Amino acid sequence: MDDYLVFYSPVYKKIYIPIKHIKWLIPYTPNERPYGLSEEEFSWKQAEEGFEANFEQQLAVQLNQLIVLNMGEKIHHIGKVKSINGKMLELKTAKEKRTYVNIEHIQTIHFV
């Protein structure tokens, strides 16, 4: 991918992170796993899925899916992707209100 990473977390599972929002990465040593998880618990069974070249194109693939932006810091950053228009992402929240988020401000996307 050109401008984002797909990161696996044992807590959040698959997360898309734009490279411009990466501050640091701290890898575990080869024999160390978080939370004392076994190899089976920690390993990611990656499906044969393809990823789009850039972050905005990948967002477009997620139409009508439930997502959590920026680890759910704000309640209106959790919702179903309704549309992408230019640099704006439209979400429908739990109360079915429409909210708009500037794509440039998205730090992480977690899929529910």
Side-chain angles (χ1 to χ4, degrees):
M1 289 71 69
D2 295 336
D3 62 351
Y4 71 104
L5 299 174
V6 179
F7 182 79
Y8 175 78
S9 159
V11 175
Y12 294 104
K13 306 302 178 202
K14 183 172 56 176
I15 306 169
Y16 297 166
I17 307 171
I19 290 173
K20 67 182 172 188
H21 289 295
I22 302 266
K23 304 297 185 252
W24 62 84
L25 290 175
I26 303 172
Y28 285 91
T29 61
N31 296 324
E32 182 183 21
R33 288 180 297 281
Y35 309 107
L37 296 173
S38 70
E39 183 66 34
E40 294 78 34
E41 292 171 314
F42 183 64
S43 65
W44 177 25
K45 310 314 188 266
Q46 181 177 356
E48 292 293 325
E49 66 180 292
F51 298 104
E52 296 298 323
N54 69 52
F55 191 64
E56 288 181 41
Q57 291 171 340
Q58 187 64 42
L59 283 174
V61 173
Q62 310 308 323
L63 286 176
N64 295 312
Q65 290 192 27
L66 186 60
I67 64 171
V68 177
L69 301 177
N70 304 331
M71 300 300 174
E73 292 174 344
K74 298 177 180 174
I75 191 105
H76 63 277
H77 283 181
I78 301 170
K80 189 183 243 187
V81 178
K82 295 313 294 175
S83 69
I84 298 169
N85 188 2
K87 295 285 185 184
M88 297 303 290
L89 172 72
E90 178 186 5
L91 291 176
K92 185 183 276 188
T93 66
K95 299 275 186 182
E96 297 197 34
K97 292 186 179 181
R98 296 187 187 272
T99 185
Y100 298 88
V101 180
N102 185 325
I103 292 172
E104 297 290 321
H105 298 162
I106 297 174
Q107 297 170 354
T108 62
I109 296 179
H110 164 68
F111 297 91
V112 180

